[in-house]
Amino acid sequence: MESPPIYGLPQETLQNIFSSLPLRQIMICRSVCKLFNQILTSSSFVHLISTENPPLSLLALRPPHHHRQPPNSPFLLHAFDPNQNQWLRFNLSFLPFRSLHPIASSPGLVYIWADSPDSLDSNKLLIACNPLTRQYRVLPQLGSAWFKHGSVLVDSANRVMVLTELASLFFTNSNHWLKFSSDLPSKPRCPILVSNSVYTLCDVGSAWRNEWKLYSCKLSTLMNSQQFWNRLEKHEWGDVFDILKRPRLVRGKGNRLLMIGGLKSSFSLNSPCSTILILRLDLDLLEWEEAGRMPVEMYRIFQESSKFKVFGMGESVIFSAKRHGRLALWECGKGGGGEWRWIDGLQGTGDGPCRGFVFEIIAALEAKFSTHWRLHGDWRRLEMVLEGI
C-alpha cells in the first residue's frame, strides 16, 4: 500500500507548517497519528514553538467541598478558555486515587488533594499530575489538618508551599517537607505567589470590625530567618484597605497583584456596597491604581447573593455568585478599565459559588520529569483528553 504524500515531506517542512498553528490545534494534532505525534513531540519542534506560542491559560474550576463523584463515572476537570469562549474538560480518571480535589497548578501541572486507594485513614495525599501525558507524582504525605486548613501555593519552578496561620510547609525537589513556624497575626486570606515572594491579607482588627493589612515574605528568607513575614504599608496608601469589604488577592500580570472586594458606600460599620472594585498594586513602585469596577447591571446579581468567590491570574478574573448559573469574567483591556462579560455553560457546581485556579498549558508538554514521576499507561495511544463540552 502506497504511503500518503505527506510522509514524503521533510521533517523541517512539516515542523514549519505545524508551528503556524495555535497551541490548542498542535495538541489536537498530536493524537491524529504516530507520525504527527513523533514530529510534534520532538525536541526540535518543542524548542521551535516554545518561543512563539505563549502558554494556553485556562480558568479551571475546583469541585465543591462536599462533592462526591458518582460511581463508575470519570472525574473531569472543567476549565474555560477565555480566548475561544469555550469550556474544556480533562479526564483525570487515570489517577489511581479516591476523592480527587484539584486546588492549584503550575505550568503544565495540576495539584490535587486525594485519598489513598489502599488506606482508610484520614491523611490526604498531595499529587502533581500532567493531565495530557498522564504522568503524576505523589508528594510526601501530609496530615489531614493541612488539607482542611492549608492554602496550597505553587510557583513556576514547582516549589510548593502549604500555608496556615500557625505554620507553613515548603517542598522543593527533595523527598521531604520543610516546616516553619508562622508569625502571622491571623489566618492568611487569599495568599498568592508573585515572583519569589508570598503575599497575603490578614485581619488585625477587633471582634466587631475588620481591619485588613497586606503581608509578604520572600521564599529565600525561609531558610535564614525565624520571622519572615513583613507588613507592607505606605503613608500614601491612605485608606485603601478600608474602602473594600472582604478584600481578596489575585496574582496580576508581571510583578503586580490585584486586590478585589465590594466597594463600600461609606466608612460606617455595615455600609452597603455599590459595586465590586479591582485595585492593582505595582510591587516595584508600591503604588495602587484602579484596574476596573463591575458594571452596575452585572453587580445586581452579586448584590442579591450572600456569597461570591473570585479567582484568576494576570489579565483574567472570574467572579462566581451563590445560586447563579453563570460566571462573570473581567479581562484587562489595553486602554485600562477592562472588559466585562458573562460565561454560560457552567456545570456540576451545585448551588454554591465556584472556586478555581488558572491552569497554564505550556508548549513543552513533555517536561523532563525525575524518576519520581510515574506514567499511567501509554499516553501515545490515548484518546483526546482535551474535549470541548
Side-chain angles (χ1 to χ4, degrees):
M1 182 177 178
E2 187 176 354
S3 299
I6 194 172
Y7 280 77
L9 293 177
Q11 180 168 316
E12 182 178 355
T13 301
L14 291 173
Q15 288 184 354
N16 288 333
I17 293 173
F18 282 117
S19 65
S20 64
L21 296 176
L23 183 56
R24 174 194 304 277
Q25 275 68 47
I26 291 174
M27 290 188 296
I28 293 174
C29 289
R30 288 184 176 189
S31 65
V32 170
C33 65
K34 187 175 182 179
L35 172 65
F36 284 13
N37 180 75
Q38 180 181 358
I39 293 171
L40 302 181
T41 58
S42 65
S43 58
S44 57
F45 182 75
V46 168
H47 176 73
L48 175 65
I49 65 171
S50 60
T51 56
E52 300 178 1
N53 285 266
L56 177 60
S57 295
L58 306 177
L59 298 164
L61 300 183
R62 295 166 54 178
H65 277 303
H66 303 291
H67 173 76
R68 292 190 178 276
Q69 185 69 15
N72 301 322
S73 63
F75 184 93
L76 301 175
L77 174 65
H78 296 259
F80 182 76
D81 182 353
N83 293 324
Q84 298 292 326
N85 198 33
Q86 182 183 17
W87 283 99
L88 309 170
R89 59 188 180 189
F90 297 84
N91 192 335
L92 301 182
S93 299
F94 65 90
L95 293 171
F97 305 100
R98 299 179 291 112
S99 303
L100 303 180
H101 193 89
I103 38 84
S105 74
S106 63
L109 301 176
V110 175
Y111 288 77
I112 302 170
W113 286 114
D115 293 332
S116 171
D118 305 318
S119 175
L120 298 178
D121 59 29
S122 59
N123 287 336
K124 289 286 184 177
L125 302 175
L126 187 57
I127 302 158
C129 79
N130 186 325
L132 298 179
T133 64
R134 294 197 168 191
Q135 289 173 299
Y136 68 91
R137 179 182 183 180
V138 180
L139 276 62
Q141 192 165 1
L142 295 170
S144 59
W146 294 99
F147 163 73
K148 293 178 181 178
H149 307 292
S151 298
V152 179
L153 309 175
V154 191
D155 67 4
S156 58
N158 294 318
R159 294 179 296 182
V160 184
M161 188 176 191
V162 185
L163 179 63
T164 69
E165 177 183 353
L166 301 177
S168 59
L169 296 177
F170 190 63
F171 180 83
T172 52
N173 211 14
S174 60
N175 290 319
H176 62 279
W177 293 92
L178 302 176
K179 187 175 182 179
F180 303 91
S181 297
S182 287
D183 56 339
L184 289 170
S186 66
K187 181 180 178 179
R189 179 173 174 79
C190 301
I192 58 173
L193 265 172
V194 182
S195 299
N196 195 42
S197 297
V198 183
Y199 297 87
T200 189
L201 292 168
C202 286
D203 185 5
V204 299
S206 61
W208 56 88
R209 191 181 186 96
N210 299 121
E211 184 180 350
W212 297 101
K213 297 297 180 182
L214 181 62
Y215 286 80
S216 72
C217 81
K218 291 185 178 296
L219 295 181
S220 57
T221 64
L222 289 176
M223 309 292 183
N224 307 314
S225 175
Q226 296 296 319
Q227 186 173 356
F228 51 87
W229 287 100
N230 298 303
R231 184 192 290 191
L232 286 183
E233 52 189 348
K234 287 181 66 176
H235 176 74
E236 292 80 4
W237 289 0
D239 53 11
V240 66
F241 296 105
D242 298 327
I243 64 175
L244 296 181
K245 183 177 182 179
R246 295 184 59 81
R248 295 101 162 146
L249 296 182
V250 172
R251 181 181 173 183
K253 184 177 182 180
N255 200 30
R256 297 175 176 85
L257 63 80
L258 303 175
M259 185 167 67
I260 303 167
L263 177 60
K264 297 179 182 178
S265 56
S266 71
F267 289 106
S268 60
L269 185 59
N270 295 312
S271 62
C273 296
S274 58
T275 187
I276 294 175
L277 182 66
I278 304 175
L279 299 177
R280 182 189 293 118
L281 175 62
D282 187 315
L283 294 170
D284 294 322
L285 303 176
L286 290 182
E287 294 180 354
W288 290 96
E289 64 177 352
E290 180 177 330
R293 61 177 66 195
M294 184 176 286
V296 175
E297 60 274 12
M298 181 178 283
Y299 176 66
R300 290 195 186 101
I301 298 297
F302 293 86
Q303 194 173 24
E304 297 168 358
S305 175
S306 58
K307 278 188 176 182
F308 72 89
K309 298 296 180 182
V310 176
F311 65 93
M313 187 180 71
E315 299 184 345
S316 299
V317 180
I318 289 273
F319 299 80
S320 172
K322 192 174 183 179
R323 294 185 296 272
H324 187 64
R326 294 191 297 176
L327 302 174
L329 173 65
W330 173 82
E331 294 179 291
C332 181
K334 294 182 179 179
E339 298 180 357
W340 297 83
R341 59 187 169 103
W342 289 109
I343 297 176
D344 297 307
L346 190 61
Q347 297 183 7
T349 57
D351 292 333
C354 300
R355 296 171 173 85
F357 55 91
V358 172
F359 176 34
E360 289 188 326
I361 301 177
I362 56 177
L365 292 175
E366 301 231 32
K368 295 181 179 179
F369 299 120
S370 70
T371 55
H372 299 288
W373 288 83
R374 300 177 184 177
L375 176 63
H376 188 277
D378 184 357
W379 70 272
R380 291 174 177 81
R381 294 199 303 265
L382 294 178
E383 296 180 354
M384 282 301 299
V385 296
L386 180 64
E387 308 172 36
I389 295 180

